[in-house]
Amino acid sequence: MSPQRPRSRASRRRGNTAQKSPRTLTPPTRVEAVTDSTPPAAGAVSESPPPAVTTAQRAPVNGSEPTDGDIVLIRPRDPLVLRDARPFSSEPGARAISLPWPLPRTVAGTMRTHIGNNATPPLDWTTLAGPTRARRETVSHGPLMVGQDEADGAWHAYVPGPRDVVFYRPENKKETAEDESKELKAMVLRPDSPDAAECCDMPSFSANDAEKSRGYELAFANTALRPLLVEEDVKPEVDVPSWWRLDHAVAWLNTTATEPPDSLFPYAAPDPDKPGAPQTLSGLKPLPADTRVHVSIEPGTQTNVEGALFTTEARAFRDAPVAASDSEPGEPALAMLCKVRSTIEWKRDDALVPLGGERRISSLVMNDDDALWPEVTYPSMDQFEAATGLRLLLVTPALFRYGWLPAWLGNSTIPGLKGEKVGGKLVGAAIDRRIPVSGWRVAQRQDDDNKETLSGPRRTCYAVPAGGVYFFAFDKPMERTEAEWHAVWDKLWLRPVSDHGIDCDEGFGLVLPGLWRDEHMEDAAQG
Amino acid sequence: MSGETTYLLAIALGPVQDFIAASRKARDLWQGSQMLSELSTTAAESLESDPDTELIFPTTTSLGQKHAVANKLLVSTTGNPPALANAARAAVQKNLMDMWDDLKPIIDTLPKDTVDPPDPQGRRVAIRQVADFIEWYAAWVPYDPGIDEIEDPLSYRKARKRVELLLAGRKALREFTPAAGVDMRPKSSLDPSRESIVDFDRNANPQAVRTLRLKGAEQLDAISLIKRLTGKNRFVSTSRVAIDPFIRAMEKLDPSRLATLKTHAKALRDTDLVEGFNPGEGSGLTRYAAFPFDSQLLYESSAESARKTLEKEPGAPPTTMQQDAVKNIFALIRGFTDEHREWRELPAYYAVLRADGDRMGRAIGALPTKKDHQDLSIELGKFAEEAGNIVREHFGAMIYSGGDDVLAFLPLDTALPCADTLRRKFSEIIREALAKHPKVEQPTLSVGVAIGHYAEHLQTMLKRSADAEKAAKGPRNALAVTFQAHSGGGDPRIVVHSWDDDPVRKFWATAIEFHRHETLPDGAAYELDALRREFRDAHKDGVFAADAARGLTADQVAGELLVKETVRILKRKRVKGGAAKVQKEIIDALALRLAPQPAVPVPDPDTAETPPNIPPEIDRALDVLGKFVDEVIVARRIARLLGNQTSEAVSLWNKQSEALRPVAMQSGDVAGTEEQP
């Protein structure tokens, strides 16, 4: 869906830092974040994510106070160095590998620093007070991938391709020159019938598990895991976009059909100039890696060290849209979008900030009329009524207490849905291999024993990668009005579901809600 | 015996990708592959130890052999599948833990807590890293071994299909437990998802650096340390593979100098500068016996830089003997290259070869019985074993060979003949294996070869070889070759030829001959490449217009111009020091590749006129020209290596290509006498 936006072309800016008149702002009215984002006591599971972000769009009036956080468009001016955790030095053959997309924490940290530097008065980074305050009083949700087309100048959100559908090219049975058809087909992955679960080793709670806590057992108690039904042995097409436009993803999430029509998927329109070309999906490829070869310099002589070549890799954001030509489709300019709330008083001017490694510069564009936080899109009432469960698509990586398994399952409710009674058991998941999340703690901090520790590497955590889909089955048929359903959607839309408040505040585990219909369960029941 | 239900049990164990990704050096990759194969073997042996269980993939026969065991297992059992799977998993877990425990004697020689020190809470991470490592997925379905009717849902064939799909559905959920992370520790240099357990002061403890075989500032996690220290034998480095043609030449031309070189290398053995490996029987490295050392010293550009490298070694300053050895090695190499000028530039490029059977899944699915699968499993084992021999014959180093998968490093001069031999052997074995099943389509072998500098990052080379293999898998039954110069930017192009076209002989050997006989000047390829880019951009910008009078589309007009321009450029070129023109036959052959003519032009019955040649579409012509340019550029490097040696390498080429003769050399060297228009 395209975000609701005013058509004032005058206010349109392309990532330059043209100034709005400097504003002094009063603190945002919503202050719940402060209490909510306080790190939970060790071992405690955060009951809820940060406070409700109402989905009503902020009033798009220049100079008015955003009531719902600031929407920050982050436009990298240089390719970003987003190093993985491997140590890196300039020794011969060394290579700095960049993550394909910044972790939420990277962006949250940048925003906290920026807010602290621009606070009145600026936060004092030399003591613990400044960093602690910045962390406790700032919430950053994102980054979302956004793209700007040549055509309308608006920034549209993209989300990682959902893992509960696989695209493939069916093999031609006939002996033709081409082995595979040019057409793409979608194989929908849904939890198989419950019988299937008895024929494989789905994860389960065992008293021998290293993690023997009661919470772990409770979380498992609220699962009835089934494998996903793979109907055909296909070779997944690898050349599919890793990012879908948000509206395409939402159409997919809202459907309850197990055999959805082709029109539901973002198949690219056939190119009239290239008849017979293989069908493709529209969306974005991963950011290209910008690889640079460097040579070490001998400090004494300022000459190069023989053979000491090393390589750095960075991720390049296309800085201006490429217009469609006769032979090539257009390509959008790319940037990141982030929603930031802070109770710290700070100057909300456009700015240049370093982001990621090597102090590569990004430009922050504050509250641009063309870059709005995506507005919630609701399924139709028919879709709500046909559904037998919820789906959650992870838009950013999620950190859960028990690895892949959310601890909040033990509370029988998805965070934010307390009192809504739409929970149900977790019956399946389509999630890829874990990704490590660590980083470098710049600020000093107090450890559990109240001792100050130095800055240094953070411990590794494992996150469920974005694009993962969790399936929940309602315990009983839901009888809710449209307004009630919308209230549920409002509470889930682009909201974090990580277990710990601090992770939620950094933007880990943002989800898009979806629906599904458990036809394999029905088949099993009938059969 | 649990009664009468028979099950098919399928197991996948991992992580494979993480193992491959966690390697910066050839030996990490090789050791990781060995380790995974060993764990798979453990799983298979655990299953086999159950009297009610029978192995299918792999078979009992193939377990005892030298080749690797794949990480996917299939067995038939009348026992209790979940219990069997759990027992196998426990056996694998125990094996891995034993590998860690086996390091204790080595670690215990170092000061306490040098390796895996406790965190402030007294916990150590190594054990948790080892315990969390294995990924394990299992699925099982009942079937009736008595049913022969292949369409019966309880038949073996249907059940196998079902169990594979069920396993795929199970693997959709790649569960994991929380990380065993510790604050304030650097992460492993090989795998960023785990903390280092060797974060100690390197200068204060050079002995530990040596004992743990650490390089520079390298950090290792528990799994990586197992990989590093478990191997009884070391593996060759990429530089040793790359320089092999030079060693072979030295062995042939000046064996006494090579012997002296070995003596010097021995003096430096087990410093950071020279590492020895054992090329004995069973090591897979017998072909490197002439010089069983890894050393970058051979490549040092000056004695001075070699000395500096030596001084950077941690620990005690170099002894006089070591310093002398460094100097001597340099002088020795220089002496040889002065006498044999063709070796002035040492071979620094090598090839990563990846091969994979095409449509194996389809062939396996088409075979009806368990026995058929066991037979095929044995035959694939044979291929894996043969592949090992073939790679060795071509002076290569095998990283992994299991089933229809091959991953190997090869010197540049033998990589392409090796690829060709592999695919012939694969077809031969498959033909025999499927002789009883004429209706089953015979799988072919697709091979990707990535050529790069030995100092190129290993992950980059692996990625390129995977890209090449993928490109070959597009059309299938193909050879894809990709080349990139060291520090060269941009994406390397990939040249794909179907094996049906016999590309090693027809294209690669020919292109090599161009260089060996100087029939094509070096600059021609680069000029043609510039032309190609120019035309591509002009075409993109819509410069070319259709020619209505001749009934040609814009694409055809562009194609025609490209062919003419190519011919013009080649006609202008001079070879053999300006003494001769490029042979007409070579130019014609290229023109024909760019614009294939109909075999016999058919005259129009109405007008009795022979139709004009149809010019090629520009996209196709650009593609062919790009291929040609790449062939010539890559071939130039290979040709230099083949040089004027009459070594085994040349005979390997000869075996492939009957005779290394250029397409148009018969007419003698009086080339291209016609005048330019």
Side-chain angles (χ1 to χ4, degrees):
Chain A
M1 84 252 37
S2 57
Q4 165 196 52
R5 58 192 201 88
R7 310 300 300 176
S8 70
R9 311 316 287 168
S11 66
R12 194 171 135 188
R13 280 166 297 136
R14 285 279 167 80
N16 59 26
T17 49
Q19 296 296 301
K20 288 176 183 171
S21 55
R23 295 169 294 180
T24 311
L25 294 164
T26 50
T29 46
R30 309 188 66 92
V31 293
E32 301 94 312
V34 179
T35 46
D36 228 285
S37 62
T38 307
V45 174
S46 167
E47 284 291 342
S48 59
V53 177
T54 62
T55 48
Q57 291 291 304
R58 65 184 173 77
V61 182
N62 275 348
S64 80
E65 183 52 40
T67 55
D68 184 27
D70 293 290
I71 310 303
V72 188
L73 181 69
I74 306 173
R75 306 201 59 183
R77 302 184 79 98
D78 306 322
L80 295 184
V81 174
L82 307 164
R83 274 188 40 218
D84 71 3
R86 277 175 251 238
F88 174 66
S89 62
S90 59
E91 64 192 52
R95 185 184 185 89
I97 293 168
S98 248
L99 300 175
W101 182 251
L103 290 169
R105 184 178 286 164
T106 310
V107 172
T110 299
M111 289 312 303
R112 286 196 295 251
T113 307
H114 179 65
I115 289 172
N117 287 340
N118 290 278
T120 39
L123 296 189
D124 176 7
W125 302 123
T126 59
T127 67
L128 271 177
T132 306
R133 187 157 171 233
R135 199 176 69 241
R136 292 200 173 153
E137 299 194 22
T138 309
V139 173
S140 163
H141 286 175
L144 302 183
M145 166 83 96
V146 287
Q148 183 194 44
D149 294 319
E150 181 73 13
D152 64 355
W155 292 91
H156 297 277
Y158 290 78
V159 297
R163 287 188 63 83
D164 60 344
V165 56
V166 172
F167 294 92
Y168 67 101
R169 301 191 190 276
E171 291 195 354
N172 280 337
K173 297 286 180 213
K174 289 178 206 149
E175 283 303 319
T176 55
E178 299 284 336
D179 284 326
E180 278 145 13
S181 96
K182 307 263 186 194
E183 272 165 23
L184 281 173
K185 269 190 76 173
M187 182 163 72
V188 173
L189 302 182
R190 292 285 173 265
D192 204 339
S193 77
D195 299 348
E198 292 165 14
C199 295
C200 60
D201 62 342
M202 294 308 290
S204 60
F205 177 77
S206 119
N208 299 326
D209 282 334
E211 186 79 54
K212 271 187 267 189
S213 76
R214 177 79 181 132
Y216 190 51
E217 190 173 357
L218 283 175
F220 259 119
N222 210 20
T223 65
L225 293 169
R226 290 139 59 180
L228 301 191
L229 178 61
V230 177
E231 280 175 296
E232 264 187 276
D233 179 18
V234 299
K235 199 170 73 184
E237 170 68 22
V238 283
D239 195 16
V240 291
S242 45
W243 299 89
W244 290 26
R245 255 176 74 145
L246 181 91
D247 48 347
H248 295 146
V250 166
W252 166 240
L253 285 168
N254 287 353
T255 187
T256 52
T258 311
E259 287 174 18
D262 277 357
S263 57
L264 195 75
F265 298 108
Y267 291 117
D271 184 345
D273 290 342
K274 290 180 189 154
Q279 190 176 28
T280 57
L281 282 165
S282 70
L284 299 177
K285 294 194 159 104
L287 293 176
D290 173 85
T291 306
R292 295 182 191 178
V293 179
H294 310 256
V295 62
S296 306
I297 299 295
E298 198 95 63
T301 59
Q302 293 292 307
T303 55
N304 66 307
V305 180
E306 184 74 37
L309 294 178
F310 65 98
T311 310
T312 58
E313 199 180 72
R315 297 289 164 181
F317 288 70
R318 196 180 303 107
D319 56 2
V322 177
S325 72
D326 289 348
S327 51
E328 302 290 329
E331 303 270 10
L334 300 175
M336 290 177 272
L337 194 68
C338 196
K339 176 149 73 176
V340 179
R341 276 175 301 138
S342 181
T343 47
I344 298 168
E345 203 172 301
W346 64 292
K347 290 194 288 294
R348 289 163 168 78
D349 294 336
D350 291 353
L352 294 174
V353 296
L355 197 161
E358 308 269 303
R359 290 193 71 80
R360 298 283 174 89
I361 298 297
S362 293
S363 120
L364 302 185
V365 183
M366 300 296 302
N367 299 313
D368 188 281
D369 292 338
D370 277 331
L372 303 183
W373 196 248
E375 192 190 4
V376 60
T377 304
Y378 306 104
S380 69
M381 202 51 202
D382 286 348
Q383 287 171 322
F384 279 125
E385 282 171 352
T388 62
L390 292 180
R391 268 189 287 166
L392 292 183
L393 167 69
L394 294 175
V395 174
T396 58
L399 287 164
F400 295 125
R401 188 169 166 74
Y402 303 124
W404 74 278
L405 186 72
W408 45 252
L409 276 173
N411 302 337
S412 311
T413 178
I414 297 168
L417 290 191
K418 219 173 172 188
E420 289 287 354
K421 297 198 168 57
V422 289
K425 280 187 159 52
L426 176 70
V427 295
I431 55 175
D432 201 1
R433 177 171 286 126
R434 62 181 170 64
I435 54 168
V437 173
S438 55
W440 194 270
R441 199 187 301 281
V442 178
Q444 294 191 333
R445 59 150 202 158
Q446 278 168 305
D447 66 16
D448 299 341
D449 305 327
N450 235 12
K451 277 190 228 135
E452 281 193 19
T453 54
L454 297 173
S455 62
R458 290 171 187 260
R459 72 179 63 190
T460 299
C461 299
Y462 293 152
V464 184
V469 177
Y470 283 80
F471 293 89
F472 298 86
F474 299 140
D475 298 330
K476 54 182 191 302
M478 291 286 123
E479 283 169 12
R480 307 177 72 90
T481 64
E482 189 159 30
E484 285 168 332
W485 271 122
H486 287 195
V488 169
W489 243 237
D490 290 343
K491 288 175 178 175
L492 291 173
W493 180 263
L494 289 177
R495 303 288 309 286
V497 299
S498 290
D499 272 325
H500 293 295
I502 182 117
D503 296 330
C504 290
D505 288 353
E506 291 187 330
F508 283 103
L510 298 189
V511 295
L512 284 177
L515 298 167
W516 67 293
R517 185 174 178 84
D518 196 349
E519 289 177 4
H520 304 312
M521 174 70 103
E522 289 163 13
D523 290 349
Q526 282 164 13
Chain B
M1 300 284 284
S2 71
E4 294 335 306
T5 314
T6 312
Y7 294 90
L8 276 181
L9 165 63
I11 289 170
L13 105 153
V16 181
Q17 283 315 313
D18 281 16
F19 251 152
I20 294 172
S23 47
R24 279 174 70 194
K25 294 173 190 311
R27 65 166 174 219
D28 298 327
L29 185 65
W30 176 75
Q31 194 60 49
S33 150
Q34 299 277 309
M35 207 167 135
L36 192 62
S37 174
E38 185 180 331
L39 296 176
S40 302
T41 306
T42 303
E45 284 170 351
S46 162
L47 293 166
E48 193 194 23
S49 70
D50 179 82
D52 304 330
T53 302
E54 186 185 354
L55 300 185
I56 301 171
F57 283 110
T59 57
T60 303
T61 322
S62 53
L63 271 191
Q65 288 167 343
K66 264 191 281 175
H67 58 79
V69 172
N71 67 318
K72 255 186 87 181
L73 312 167
L74 182 69
V75 302
S76 169
T77 182
T78 52
N80 175 358
L84 278 168
N86 278 338
R89 180 183 189 159
V92 169
Q93 199 66 61
K94 177 172 183 312
N95 189 350
L96 191 62
M97 206 50 97
D98 287 348
M99 290 182 197
W100 169 248
D101 287 339
D102 287 345
L103 303 190
K104 291 248 166 79
I106 303 175
I107 292 170
D108 286 346
T109 63
L110 304 174
K112 191 167 178 282
D113 292 340
T114 306
V115 175
D116 192 25
D119 71 359
Q121 281 77 42
R123 291 171 304 183
R124 296 175 195 264
V125 291
I127 294 260
R128 285 183 290 163
Q129 288 179 347
V130 175
D132 283 351
F133 180 67
I134 298 291
E135 290 173 16
W136 183 272
Y137 311 96
W140 53 89
V141 298
Y143 80 109
D144 185 342
I147 291 179
D148 290 334
E149 170 51 47
I150 58 171
E151 294 304 322
D152 189 302
L154 279 179
S155 70
Y156 170 82
R157 183 166 172 266
K158 289 279 177 190
R160 194 205 65 92
K161 201 174 164 195
R162 223 168 46 246
V163 80
E164 294 291 341
L165 295 178
L166 192 60
L167 186 65
R170 162 67 185 90
K171 282 168 77 178
L173 199 179
R174 304 210 173 233
E175 78 266 26
F176 59 91
T177 50
V182 196
D183 277 328
M184 307 301 290
R185 294 260 177 93
K187 308 298 179 277
S188 167
S189 302
L190 295 190
D191 186 337
S193 70
R194 284 189 285 274
E195 267 86 6
S196 166
I197 59 165
V198 293
D199 177 28
F200 57 86
D201 183 348
R202 300 296 159 90
N203 287 327
N205 202 346
Q207 181 51 39
V209 174
R210 203 148 292 158
T211 306
L212 300 172
R213 299 189 198 163
L214 303 176
K215 284 275 184 188
E218 193 175 51
Q219 299 287 354
L220 296 179
D221 59 293
I223 298 291
S224 305
L225 196 65
I226 293 175
K227 278 203 261 179
R228 183 62 54 86
L229 298 179
T230 293
K232 289 173 198 76
N233 191 16
R234 291 189 185 176
F235 196 68
V236 284
S237 66
T238 53
S239 65
R240 177 63 187 84
V241 176
I243 206 162
D244 195 61
F246 174 77
I247 300 289
R248 270 179 270 137
M250 214 170 172
E251 190 182 16
K252 189 173 148 48
L253 300 171
D254 198 345
S256 68
R257 213 190 292 248
L258 183 63
T260 323
L261 187 67
K262 262 166 105 168
T263 317
H264 295 319
K266 256 182 215 151
L268 288 169
R269 197 184 160 124
D270 297 326
T271 65
D272 253 12
L273 295 176
V274 174
E275 288 180 38
F277 54 84
N278 171 14
E281 278 305 313
S283 68
L285 304 175
T286 44
R287 283 289 191 150
Y288 298 113
F291 188 70
F293 299 98
D294 283 334
S295 180
Q296 303 237 357
L297 274 185
L298 305 185
Y299 287 105
E300 290 290 352
S301 56
S302 70
E304 179 64 8
S305 68
R307 193 183 54 75
K308 275 191 197 153
T309 317
L310 183 67
E311 277 170 2
K312 275 190 211 140
E313 276 262 278
T319 62
T320 325
M321 195 183 79
Q322 285 174 339
Q323 285 176 358
D324 286 347
V326 167
K327 255 186 265 167
N328 289 337
I329 287 178
F330 181 75
L332 213 136
I333 301 277
R334 173 63 65 84
F336 179 83
T337 54
D338 282 348
E339 277 170 39
H340 303 275
R341 301 295 284 170
E342 70 275 19
W343 289 106
R344 251 173 319 170
E345 195 181 322
L346 294 182
Y349 284 76
Y350 75 111
V352 177
L353 179 151
R354 264 182 212 253
D356 185 45
D358 302 315
R359 293 194 156 161
M360 285 304 296
R362 199 191 256 203
I364 290 171
L367 293 173
T369 68
K370 183 174 73 186
K371 177 78 171 57
D372 292 331
H373 279 173
Q374 286 168 326
D375 289 348
L376 180 66
S377 182
I378 290 169
E379 292 297 325
L380 286 175
K382 266 190 211 159
F383 170 70
E385 197 123 3
E386 283 290 341
N389 295 334
I390 291 168
V391 166
R392 269 189 296 283
E393 271 167 31
H394 289 81
F395 308 98
M398 183 66 94
I399 300 285
Y400 177 88
S401 164
D404 57 326
D405 267 336
V406 177
L407 176 62
F409 293 170
L410 285 139
L412 192 48
D413 57 347
T414 55
L416 296 180
C418 179
D420 206 357
T421 315
L422 281 174
R423 64 106 181 182
R424 285 171 202 272
K425 181 54 81 180
F426 183 77
S427 296
E428 184 188 316
I429 285 178
I430 283 290
R431 204 164 38 236
E432 279 169 29
L434 297 179
K436 278 184 270 168
H437 305 276
K439 279 192 185 153
V440 176
E441 193 189 339
Q442 292 191 358
T444 47
L445 194 72
S446 283
V447 186
V449 174
I451 297 169
H453 194 273
Y454 76 85
E456 185 62 87
H457 199 282
L458 185 60
Q459 290 300 323
T460 309
M461 288 297 290
L462 291 172
K463 163 93 176 36
R464 282 188 205 149
S465 68
D467 289 347
E469 187 191 78
K470 198 177 121 197
K473 288 240 154 219
R476 295 202 185 89
N477 187 32
L479 168 69
V481 180
T482 172
F483 163 82
Q484 191 161 40
H486 196 36
S487 76
D491 277 338
R493 276 199 300 275
I494 302 178
V495 189
V496 186
H497 294 293
S498 166
W499 283 122
D500 292 338
D501 293 338
D502 199 5
V504 173
R505 188 172 75 87
K506 261 171 69 185
F507 298 122
W508 292 107
T510 307
I512 287 168
E513 280 313 291
F514 287 165
H515 289 289
R516 293 189 71 203
H517 298 269
E518 293 181 47
T519 44
L520 201 63
D522 281 358
Y526 295 99
E527 201 168 326
L528 290 178
D529 198 33
L531 177 76
R532 188 187 65 83
R533 282 197 302 267
E534 206 178 312
F535 263 72
R536 184 196 56 199
D537 295 345
H539 174 54
K540 232 186 206 168
D541 297 342
V543 167
F544 302 104
D547 183 344
R550 294 167 59 210
L552 299 181
T553 65
D555 279 8
Q556 288 171 330
V557 169
E560 189 177 45
L561 282 173
L562 180 68
V563 177
K564 283 188 176 162
E565 199 54 17
T566 302
V567 170
R568 190 185 67 79
I569 286 176
L570 289 179
K571 278 187 176 168
R572 242 172 356 102
K573 289 280 163 195
R574 292 290 179 277
V575 291
K576 300 190 190 293
K581 292 183 175 181
V582 177
Q583 291 173 51
K584 183 171 183 300
E585 288 88 340
I586 289 177
I587 300 178
D588 288 350
L590 177 59
L592 192 67
R593 262 179 88 184
L594 291 173
Q597 313 292 316
V600 184
V602 184
D604 188 313
D606 293 338
T607 60
E609 275 176 26
T610 307
N613 291 328
I614 302 158
E617 303 249 327
I618 181 72
D619 287 337
R620 191 193 159 281
L622 284 172
D623 183 47
V624 174
L625 187 60
K627 264 188 192 180
F628 177 78
V629 166
D630 284 346
E631 282 163 17
V632 171
I633 292 174
V634 174
R636 187 169 136 215
R637 282 187 185 271
I638 301 176
R640 267 199 221 157
L641 285 185
L642 291 175
N644 47 11
Q645 52 171 325
T646 50
S647 72
E648 261 180 280
V650 178
S651 77
L652 287 168
W653 274 95
N654 285 338
K655 231 198 282 177
Q656 291 311 317
S657 49
E658 293 165 14
L660 262 179
R661 272 177 295 111
V663 279
M665 283 302 288
Q666 291 87 346
S667 55
D669 278 349
V670 196
T673 45
E674 63 159 330
E675 283 306 307
Q676 286 183 31

